[in-house]
Amino acid sequence: MAARSVIALVSVADVVAGALANHLDRRGHDVRQARQPWEAETLLSAGGIDVVVVGDDVTQAEGRELLRRYSSQGGGGEGGPDFILICRPRDLVDKVLALELGAADVIESPLNVRELAARIGGLLMRRGRAAGELIVLENATVDLRSAMVMHRSGAEDQLSPGQVALLKLFLASPRKVLTRDDIIAAAPAENADAFDRSIDSRIVRLRRKLDTETITTIRGAGYRFDPPVARNE
């Protein structure tokens, strides 16, 4: 199993840090926190950090010093962490300066936790770290690695192991009709009652949790997954 990515939160406001740490933990990352810049010195000096998120309570001088000493573009060298700085709106000079000093990204507060987590995921991909297996459906995005369903409304659902296996089976066989026997053989239920109408119930529950119409019942034959058509937004 690949090692978990390590994310450091430095002087991030408690209300944001708590939600972000929970969000990242559920997606398989380790989160370490430093409430003050001097605590961050100890944390970052130990190494092993992939991404650092610096909150907007850090002064400009403190933020610049952390970038100079530890970022992958600064004293941290090629193996150093990537930095995301949270800045206050309209601090254009600070934003530009942070980018010039080696910050990988800058995001304004107030921020959306899911957007920040997505930006962290993008940096991890660039570093070659394991990324989530994201499946985009009509009304939700599914992270197969963490078994999370992220709805457009902002709500989230957790898939069971059996539902993940069932979804992976459909993803591996797009536009192909799968019989009940196919499903029982490749994605058995999580209990002994895996036959006949219980398959219908599993499909209904999966459709409901994914909020999707891409899994179609083919009367007398089985079920078919039709990938959604990409939309231009």
Side-chain angles (χ1 to χ4, degrees):
M1 180 180 294
R4 288 160 65 98
S5 301
V6 181
I7 316 300
L9 308 183
V10 177
S11 298
V12 177
D14 288 345
V15 65
V16 175
L20 180 60
N22 182 54
H23 193 87
L24 293 171
D25 181 71
R26 283 182 287 145
R27 280 153 183 77
H29 307 301
D30 280 337
V31 179
R32 302 174 188 173
Q33 299 190 46
R35 295 183 181 277
Q36 301 295 332
W38 64 265
E39 294 177 309
E41 296 278 348
T42 302
L43 178 61
L44 298 180
S45 294
I49 307 295
D50 293 295
V51 177
V52 180
V53 179
V54 180
D56 57 9
D57 285 340
V58 172
T59 67
Q60 296 177 29
E62 290 168 334
R64 288 196 293 267
E65 184 63 18
L66 289 174
L67 280 170
R68 286 195 184 101
R69 294 186 60 184
Y70 299 106
S71 76
S72 57
Q73 303 299 315
E78 187 174 338
D82 288 321
F83 275 69
I84 297 178
L85 269 64
I86 301 172
C87 73
R88 293 181 175 86
R90 297 181 297 279
D91 283 350
L92 179 60
V93 173
D94 289 346
K95 182 184 294 188
V96 172
L97 185 57
L99 292 170
E100 288 178 342
L101 288 173
D105 200 357
V106 179
I107 185 169
E108 291 186 356
S109 61
L111 52 84
N112 180 282
V113 167
R114 284 175 61 175
E115 178 188 355
L116 180 52
R119 291 176 183 241
I120 291 171
L123 291 179
L124 291 173
M125 289 180 65
R126 281 167 44 185
R127 295 173 68 89
R129 302 292 289 174
E133 300 174 67
L134 299 180
I135 309 301
V136 180
L137 301 174
E138 314 99 299
N139 303 305
T141 299
V142 184
D143 185 338
L144 285 176
R145 190 163 64 96
S146 61
M148 292 293 300
V149 183
M150 297 167 282
H151 297 277
R152 288 181 178 271
S153 65
E156 295 183 344
D157 276 314
Q158 187 80 42
L159 295 175
S160 70
Q163 288 173 330
V164 172
L166 184 55
L167 177 56
K168 286 183 174 180
L169 175 61
F170 281 119
L171 292 171
S173 307
R175 302 182 183 85
K176 175 183 176 182
V177 176
L178 300 175
T179 67
R180 286 188 172 87
D181 288 341
D182 291 331
I183 293 172
I184 291 170
E190 295 165 79
N191 55 55
D193 184 19
F195 298 98
D196 297 327
R197 291 301 173 185
S198 65
I199 299 295
D200 294 338
S201 298
R202 290 179 64 194
I203 299 296
V204 168
R205 288 194 294 270
L206 182 61
R207 281 194 195 116
R208 185 180 299 127
K209 190 166 282 190
L210 298 177
D211 190 15
T212 185
E213 299 297 328
T214 58
I215 302 173
T216 306
T217 300
I218 307 300
R219 188 176 297 275
Y223 308 90
R224 186 184 66 218
F225 171 66
D226 297 307
V229 178
R231 300 184 301 178
N232 295 319
E233 299 184 349

